[in-house]
Amino acid sequence: MSRTRTFLELQDDAYKRADEESNTTRFPRSEVGRYVNQGCNEAWGIIVKAQPKGWAENATPQSLTTVANTSSYALSNTTLDIISVRMVEGTNSYTLEPFNEGVEAVLEERSNASTRPAYYQIRRQTIYLLPAPSAGLTVKVRFVPHFTDLSANADTWDGVLPGADEYPVVYAAKMIETKNQRWDAVQALDAELQRLEVKIRTHATRDVTM
């Protein structure tokens, strides 16, 4: 199992891995903290891709209310990945399907006849409902959130899977060594990141909950 570690512990361990504990002038806490967050974010992406799609679902789905003849709606700025999109009408609901070129002809036939979308498409942080809906419909978007940066020393990182707790430390140490231009150390730490990624993916078949 992974272990929960505080933001301060992650930074301290990164300094130690790079043998730079006393060099906070060249490597301020703010800089090393940024490296740690970058490592956490990268590890989170590996974990999310390795686990079943719904395991890291945001506690509350995003709710959208449609506007007449309007296809595009802003997604939550915390959205990393979409799990499902559902249209809710009273006690009834149905799932919208991802749009692809194979359904384009069907969509054109429906566009003048339907006010209920059947498909969705994601472009950056925008979701498009197709065909364009009528007003007042409710759309529920289930999603996986982005990693939220650690800021306070007591903030915690729980990598969930073995290897993920160490990943941001090694990543931050690699960034320190990159600044130092110690290329042998950078290469060794990069190889360790690859081993940790394999370890994370290997353990991803477990039934893990947040």
Side-chain angles (χ1 to χ4, degrees):
M1 295 293 291
S2 68
R3 59 193 176 103
T4 299
R5 304 170 79 174
T6 67
F7 191 30
L8 182 61
E9 289 171 339
L10 293 169
Q11 293 176 66
D12 287 344
D13 287 350
Y15 279 113
K16 291 175 185 176
R17 287 299 302 268
D19 196 22
E20 293 286 359
E21 297 101 310
S22 61
N23 202 354
T24 54
T25 299
R26 177 169 170 76
F27 298 101
R29 285 273 175 185
S30 58
E31 181 178 344
V32 174
R34 184 171 71 253
Y35 296 155
V36 165
N37 275 319
Q38 289 170 353
C40 289
N41 187 61
E42 191 168 287
W44 179 246
I46 295 169
I47 295 167
V48 167
K49 288 181 180 178
Q51 288 286 4
K53 200 167 187 179
W55 80 275
E57 179 178 355
N58 198 64
T60 305
Q62 182 180 3
S63 182
L64 303 171
T65 301
T66 61
V67 178
N69 300 316
T70 300
S71 290
S72 61
Y73 300 86
L75 289 171
S76 166
N77 58 13
T78 64
T79 301
L80 174 64
D81 195 15
I82 298 296
I83 298 172
S84 69
V85 180
R86 294 187 66 80
M87 180 65 62
V88 180
E89 298 180 273
T91 58
N92 299 316
S93 66
Y94 64 90
T95 301
L96 275 63
E97 299 296 328
F99 174 80
N100 58 65
E101 293 181 0
V103 300
E104 190 168 2
V106 176
L107 184 61
E108 289 177 355
E109 290 178 6
R110 293 186 181 184
S111 61
N112 295 325
S114 176
T115 58
R116 290 178 174 80
Y119 305 97
Y120 72 91
Q121 188 176 51
I122 305 296
R123 298 178 191 169
R124 297 183 180 178
Q125 288 299 111
T126 301
I127 184 170
Y128 293 82
L129 306 178
L130 308 164
S134 58
L137 303 177
T138 299
V139 178
K140 297 288 186 180
V141 182
R142 295 172 58 209
F143 67 96
V144 175
H146 281 289
F147 166 74
T148 301
D149 281 356
L150 308 176
S151 56
N153 285 338
D155 286 351
T156 56
W157 160 249
D158 182 357
V160 181
L161 296 172
D165 55 340
E166 188 65 18
Y167 195 98
V169 171
V170 177
Y171 181 97
K174 175 189 169 184
M175 298 303 292
I176 292 172
E177 297 291 36
T178 298
K179 186 173 180 178
N180 282 330
Q181 298 185 0
R182 296 174 183 161
W183 304 121
D184 288 346
V186 171
Q187 187 175 18
L189 290 165
D190 194 47
E192 186 169 354
L193 287 175
Q194 294 177 40
R195 289 194 295 271
L196 288 172
E197 180 173 351
V198 171
K199 186 175 182 179
I200 293 168
R201 294 184 185 280
T202 299
H203 285 84
T205 54
R206 293 183 178 181
D207 181 15
V208 179
T209 57
M210 292 295 288

